[in-house]
Amino acid sequence: MIKKAESLQPVVYQNRFGGNGEISMKPLLSPEEFLGKGRLLSHSVIFPGSSIGYHTHQGDFETYYILKGTGEVNDDGILSPVGPGDVVYTGSGHSHSIRNTGEENLELIAMILFEA
């Protein structure tokens, strides 16, 4: 199966998980395509000055692969800068947030899979 770019429609969120501003998430897989093993694979854009708020994962884990831009991740209370090529992994029972610290869009691939 091939999904053409024009068929993938982004969803814009305000103050995601209590974060600031606006983010865009373009789902790359539908819930059915995960076959019960996960719930999210998206190309996400965090606009300048925006963030995804601090939240905890229970029963699943999330991975970010940073494509473009600069940001700061709060990983269980530890702040770290991130940029292109960096990978952020947040396991079940752990918490994180991410914010755009640059002047251009922070783009990433986000994936959430269920804990086995």
Side-chain angles (χ1 to χ4, degrees):
M1 173 192 345
I2 297 171
K3 294 183 180 185
K4 300 302 276 181
E6 59 271 10
S7 74
L8 301 171
Q9 298 301 311
V11 178
V12 176
Y13 294 94
Q14 299 287 331
N15 308 315
R16 185 82 168 150
F17 294 113
N20 294 320
E22 207 172 70
I23 69 163
S24 170
M25 296 176 69
K26 185 186 304 182
L28 303 177
L29 292 178
S30 70
E32 300 79 31
E33 291 168 325
F34 279 101
L35 303 174
K37 294 176 177 36
R39 63 183 173 94
L40 177 77
L41 179 63
S42 73
H43 175 237
S44 299
V45 178
I46 303 172
F47 300 106
S50 297
S51 64
I52 297 174
Y54 195 71
H55 61 283
T56 302
H57 285 267
Q58 293 293 341
D60 61 26
F61 60 92
E62 185 166 22
T63 302
Y64 295 151
Y65 177 66
I66 310 299
L67 300 170
K68 177 181 174 186
T70 57
E72 181 180 68
V73 169
N74 182 337
D75 181 31
D76 283 330
I78 298 170
L79 301 178
S80 298
V82 292
D86 290 342
V87 174
V88 178
Y89 173 83
T90 305
S92 181
H94 294 273
S95 303
H96 67 147
S97 66
I98 186 169
R99 69 183 181 98
N100 184 334
T101 58
E103 295 181 13
E104 66 177 341
N105 291 342
L106 174 60
E107 296 187 32
L108 56 97
I109 299 296
M111 178 178 66
I112 300 176
L113 297 176
F114 298 133
E115 188 176 44

